[in-house]
Amino acid sequence: MRYLSVFICSLLLPLFIYSQNNYPKNYFRSPLDIPIVLAGTFGELRSNHFHAGMDIKTQQREGLDVYAAADGYVSRIKVQHYGYGKAIYITHPNGYTTVYGHLQKFSPEIQEIVKKQQYKNQSYEIELFPSENEIKVSKSQLIALSGNTGGSGGPHLHFEIRDGLEKPINPLLFGYTVKDTKAPRILGIHAYPVGDGSIINNNDSRIELRLTKQQNGTYLADKIDASGSIGLGVETYDQLDMAYNKNGAYKVCTTVNGTLNFEYDFETFSFDESRYINTLIDYPTYIDNRKKIQKCYIEPYNKLSIYKKRNDNGVISVDEGMSYQVTMEVSDFAGNTSTIIIPIEGKKQNASFLQKKENIGDYLIANRDNIFSVGNASLFFPEDTFYEDFFIQLTQEDEAIIIHNESTPVRDDYTISMNINNRTDIDKEKLFIAHVNEDGRLSYEYTYRKGDLLSTRTRDLGKFKVAKDTVAPVIKPANFRSGQFLSSYGELKLRITDDLSGINSYKATINGEWILTEYEYKKNMLTYDLSDIDFKDSSRNLEVIVTDNVGNSATFNATFNSN
């Protein structure tokens, strides 16, 4: 039976290969002239979203040439402090769009267009949508240099391929070669009672199964006794050759007694559904133990489109006196597969270990608007803020409020409004709503004020309080001093920091003229390219104003000479 189960999943391989043939294999070139080694794979599990492309390592450095993957035109350029940082989007004649993110700088032609608009808008952050005839590019044309801008955790190139509906598609389906000879690693297999009355090993909560590696390389789980409906989950990652990164697996497939029961893969998904990642993983276990267990069954509120087979939504119905053998296969894109055999025995269970489930709090219905009050705060949860109905617990603790707990996933923003009519008018200007972390550290939540009401929209749960920030940001020169000759310098650098609410805006001028400065939040660094100077005066007066999120401002002044 074990080999029959493996054979059933293996029969799907030709169909998988056929589906790959729907994508052009030789149309797109690599965006880099180095071997493709991946730091991140398509569909990889990230915080609240799936990874939408592949992260190509750039040999731990910035400044590598980035090339257009095919003929087309630049249809979008976006520059932002976070997210993809500096990014280029190229639309191609075959209907696909390629995306290049975390760039250090654009090619001279594109850089000139972007910088001109940045000076016009007097803003570093900018988004452009050039027309089809404005910036045409040819395959292998230099478009940028690789970097580490935006939310990047290290130098690399984020590369995507999207279809005409803006759905990202696994780039490996387009013929890119990445060396991978290692099967995904299995960190754990978990079993879940699903529905009322379901029990596994005399327990009605998740259990982790002990695995033993067999001589043929498969894993055998300890037999479990169960009754009712159960689901399985796997904790896994894949490791490609020449890289230590823990990447995501491509496909998970299960059979029950030789019949295909459940399968999903990361061929494509839509950005609209990406936050439903929290219905794929066991979210409470992730929050409590940092384990990303991928559930191999589908709960009613899961709206993901990644599933290729879903008999009974992957739920296994276990009847008393019956034996079942479940085979789970976890595969990477190259076809390397780890196989787990899970024997299940249908047996009447002793209910002595059943956990009592208490329904405490206000009942929240997910598919409609909900309004609650706690302490001096009111809460507005719009329709579909959460994935499912539940009892929400709201409590007050001194001057703080506690909104349920952080192990409940939130799908979309909700509004917290806190009354500050007991504060003095002087205080009110410097107040904001803060999220209080477990260690007591305050994190600024974007706050707006109307009269005596502070409001914020957030996806966070947990403890919140009204906090006060009266300390202005700090500005320090990082590579120069006032009065210095800077003719041999390429850049001016200033370090800007704020102790509490965080930096909201910055503005720099030379001799009263606005200049373009780039803020790298990961390094708290503000940088000015001295090649932008186009003033006749040899003496320059630099002024930098930095403002935090509640309006505290600091000003830095310096003079320097370029001749």
PDB file of all heavy atoms in Angstrom, residues 156-168:
ATOM      1  N   HIS A 156      20.127  41.827  -2.680  1.00  0.00           N
ATOM      2  CA  HIS A 156      19.604  40.807  -3.600  1.00  0.00           C
ATOM      3  C   HIS A 156      18.701  41.504  -4.618  1.00  0.00           C
ATOM      4  O   HIS A 156      18.359  42.674  -4.461  1.00  0.00           O
ATOM      5  CB  HIS A 156      18.834  39.706  -2.862  1.00  0.00           C
ATOM      6  CG  HIS A 156      17.491  40.132  -2.328  1.00  0.00           C
ATOM      7  ND1 HIS A 156      17.328  40.752  -1.106  1.00  0.00           N
ATOM      8  CD2 HIS A 156      16.247  40.031  -2.860  1.00  0.00           C
ATOM      9  CE1 HIS A 156      16.049  41.010  -0.904  1.00  0.00           C
ATOM     10  NE2 HIS A 156      15.365  40.581  -1.957  1.00  0.00           N
ATOM     11  N   LEU A 157      18.311  40.762  -5.642  1.00  0.00           N
ATOM     12  CA  LEU A 157      17.353  41.271  -6.624  1.00  0.00           C
ATOM     13  C   LEU A 157      16.051  40.498  -6.486  1.00  0.00           C
ATOM     14  O   LEU A 157      16.028  39.274  -6.611  1.00  0.00           O
ATOM     15  CB  LEU A 157      17.884  41.118  -8.051  1.00  0.00           C
ATOM     16  CG  LEU A 157      16.897  41.545  -9.155  1.00  0.00           C
ATOM     17  CD1 LEU A 157      16.676  43.052  -9.121  1.00  0.00           C
ATOM     18  CD2 LEU A 157      17.389  41.091 -10.527  1.00  0.00           C
ATOM     19  N   HIS A 158      14.981  41.229  -6.207  1.00  0.00           N
ATOM     20  CA  HIS A 158      13.653  40.610  -6.214  1.00  0.00           C
ATOM     21  C   HIS A 158      13.135  40.659  -7.647  1.00  0.00           C
ATOM     22  O   HIS A 158      13.052  41.724  -8.261  1.00  0.00           O
ATOM     23  CB  HIS A 158      12.712  41.372  -5.289  1.00  0.00           C
ATOM     24  CG  HIS A 158      11.297  40.871  -5.326  1.00  0.00           C
ATOM     25  ND1 HIS A 158      10.870  39.804  -4.563  1.00  0.00           N
ATOM     26  CD2 HIS A 158      10.223  41.277  -6.052  1.00  0.00           C
ATOM     27  CE1 HIS A 158       9.589  39.584  -4.814  1.00  0.00           C
ATOM     28  NE2 HIS A 158       9.174  40.463  -5.717  1.00  0.00           N
ATOM     29  N   PHE A 159      12.757  39.477  -8.185  1.00  0.00           N
ATOM     30  CA  PHE A 159      12.341  39.380  -9.586  1.00  0.00           C
ATOM     31  C   PHE A 159      11.008  38.664  -9.669  1.00  0.00           C
ATOM     32  O   PHE A 159      10.821  37.592  -9.100  1.00  0.00           O
ATOM     33  CB  PHE A 159      13.388  38.606 -10.386  1.00  0.00           C
ATOM     34  CG  PHE A 159      13.055  38.445 -11.847  1.00  0.00           C
ATOM     35  CD1 PHE A 159      13.062  39.528 -12.704  1.00  0.00           C
ATOM     36  CD2 PHE A 159      12.718  37.197 -12.359  1.00  0.00           C
ATOM     37  CE1 PHE A 159      12.745  39.375 -14.057  1.00  0.00           C
ATOM     38  CE2 PHE A 159      12.406  37.026 -13.701  1.00  0.00           C
ATOM     39  CZ  PHE A 159      12.423  38.121 -14.550  1.00  0.00           C
ATOM     40  N   GLU A 160      10.061  39.292 -10.373  1.00  0.00           N
ATOM     41  CA  GLU A 160       8.723  38.715 -10.550  1.00  0.00           C
ATOM     42  C   GLU A 160       8.370  38.622 -12.025  1.00  0.00           C
ATOM     43  O   GLU A 160       8.861  39.400 -12.847  1.00  0.00           O
ATOM     44  CB  GLU A 160       7.650  39.589  -9.876  1.00  0.00           C
ATOM     45  CG  GLU A 160       7.685  39.656  -8.392  1.00  0.00           C
ATOM     46  CD  GLU A 160       6.589  40.567  -7.852  1.00  0.00           C
ATOM     47  OE1 GLU A 160       5.598  40.816  -8.583  1.00  0.00           O
ATOM     48  OE2 GLU A 160       6.719  41.038  -6.707  1.00  0.00           O
ATOM     49  N   ILE A 161       7.463  37.697 -12.313  1.00  0.00           N
ATOM     50  CA  ILE A 161       6.778  37.666 -13.607  1.00  0.00           C
ATOM     51  C   ILE A 161       5.281  37.634 -13.319  1.00  0.00           C
ATOM     52  O   ILE A 161       4.804  36.755 -12.593  1.00  0.00           O
ATOM     53  CB  ILE A 161       7.187  36.456 -14.460  1.00  0.00           C
ATOM     54  CG1 ILE A 161       8.697  36.489 -14.738  1.00  0.00           C
ATOM     55  CG2 ILE A 161       6.409  36.438 -15.779  1.00  0.00           C
ATOM     56  CD1 ILE A 161       9.200  35.314 -15.565  1.00  0.00           C
ATOM     57  N   ARG A 162       4.545  38.608 -13.889  1.00  0.00           N
ATOM     58  CA  ARG A 162       3.092  38.692 -13.683  1.00  0.00           C
ATOM     59  C   ARG A 162       2.384  38.527 -15.018  1.00  0.00           C
ATOM     60  O   ARG A 162       2.911  38.907 -16.069  1.00  0.00           O
ATOM     61  CB  ARG A 162       2.709  40.038 -13.067  1.00  0.00           C
ATOM     62  CG  ARG A 162       3.364  40.328 -11.725  1.00  0.00           C
ATOM     63  CD  ARG A 162       2.907  41.665 -11.170  1.00  0.00           C
ATOM     64  NE  ARG A 162       3.557  41.993  -9.918  1.00  0.00           N
ATOM     65  CZ  ARG A 162       3.330  43.110  -9.217  1.00  0.00           C
ATOM     66  NH1 ARG A 162       2.451  43.999  -9.682  1.00  0.00           N
ATOM     67  NH2 ARG A 162       3.965  43.338  -8.090  1.00  0.00           N
ATOM     68  N   ASP A 163       1.172  37.988 -14.951  1.00  0.00           N
ATOM     69  CA  ASP A 163       0.384  37.863 -16.176  1.00  0.00           C
ATOM     70  C   ASP A 163      -0.391  39.150 -16.438  1.00  0.00           C
ATOM     71  O   ASP A 163      -0.229  40.154 -15.728  1.00  0.00           O
ATOM     72  CB  ASP A 163      -0.535  36.635 -16.111  1.00  0.00           C
ATOM     73  CG  ASP A 163      -1.646  36.760 -15.066  1.00  0.00           C
ATOM     74  OD1 ASP A 163      -1.863  37.873 -14.536  1.00  0.00           O
ATOM     75  OD2 ASP A 163      -2.300  35.749 -14.775  1.00  0.00           O
ATOM     76  N   GLY A 164      -1.235  39.139 -17.456  1.00  0.00           N
ATOM     77  CA  GLY A 164      -1.972  40.333 -17.845  1.00  0.00           C
ATOM     78  C   GLY A 164      -2.964  40.813 -16.811  1.00  0.00           C
ATOM     79  O   GLY A 164      -3.417  41.963 -16.866  1.00  0.00           O
ATOM     80  N   LEU A 165      -3.310  39.964 -15.841  1.00  0.00           N
ATOM     81  CA  LEU A 165      -4.220  40.344 -14.761  1.00  0.00           C
ATOM     82  C   LEU A 165      -3.464  40.722 -13.492  1.00  0.00           C
ATOM     83  O   LEU A 165      -4.059  40.815 -12.416  1.00  0.00           O
ATOM     84  CB  LEU A 165      -5.195  39.197 -14.472  1.00  0.00           C
ATOM     85  CG  LEU A 165      -6.104  38.797 -15.630  1.00  0.00           C
ATOM     86  CD1 LEU A 165      -6.947  37.574 -15.250  1.00  0.00           C
ATOM     87  CD2 LEU A 165      -7.005  39.949 -16.050  1.00  0.00           C
ATOM     88  N   GLU A 166      -2.147  40.899 -13.621  1.00  0.00           N
ATOM     89  CA  GLU A 166      -1.282  41.270 -12.497  1.00  0.00           C
ATOM     90  C   GLU A 166      -1.146  40.146 -11.467  1.00  0.00           C
ATOM     91  O   GLU A 166      -0.778  40.407 -10.315  1.00  0.00           O
ATOM     92  CB  GLU A 166      -1.779  42.547 -11.807  1.00  0.00           C
ATOM     93  CG  GLU A 166      -1.509  43.821 -12.591  1.00  0.00           C
ATOM     94  CD  GLU A 166      -0.017  44.144 -12.715  1.00  0.00           C
ATOM     95  OE1 GLU A 166       0.665  44.263 -11.693  1.00  0.00           O
ATOM     96  OE2 GLU A 166       0.457  44.228 -13.868  1.00  0.00           O
ATOM     97  N   LYS A 167      -1.420  38.915 -11.859  1.00  0.00           N
ATOM     98  CA  LYS A 167      -1.192  37.793 -10.961  1.00  0.00           C
ATOM     99  C   LYS A 167       0.258  37.346 -11.091  1.00  0.00           C
ATOM    100  O   LYS A 167       0.732  37.072 -12.193  1.00  0.00           O
ATOM    101  CB  LYS A 167      -2.118  36.620 -11.301  1.00  0.00           C
ATOM    102  CG  LYS A 167      -3.565  36.828 -10.940  1.00  0.00           C
ATOM    103  CD  LYS A 167      -4.401  35.597 -11.256  1.00  0.00           C
ATOM    104  CE  LYS A 167      -3.979  34.399 -10.439  1.00  0.00           C
ATOM    105  NZ  LYS A 167      -4.844  33.221 -10.684  1.00  0.00           N
ATOM    106  N   PRO A 168       0.989  37.254  -9.967  1.00  0.00           N
ATOM    107  CA  PRO A 168       2.364  36.763 -10.047  1.00  0.00           C
ATOM    108  C   PRO A 168       2.383  35.259 -10.344  1.00  0.00           C
ATOM    109  O   PRO A 168       1.514  34.511  -9.875  1.00  0.00           O
ATOM    110  CB  PRO A 168       2.921  37.056  -8.654  1.00  0.00           C
ATOM    111  CG  PRO A 168       1.718  37.049  -7.762  1.00  0.00           C
ATOM    112  CD  PRO A 168       0.586  37.588  -8.591  1.00  0.00           C
TER     113      PRO A 168
END
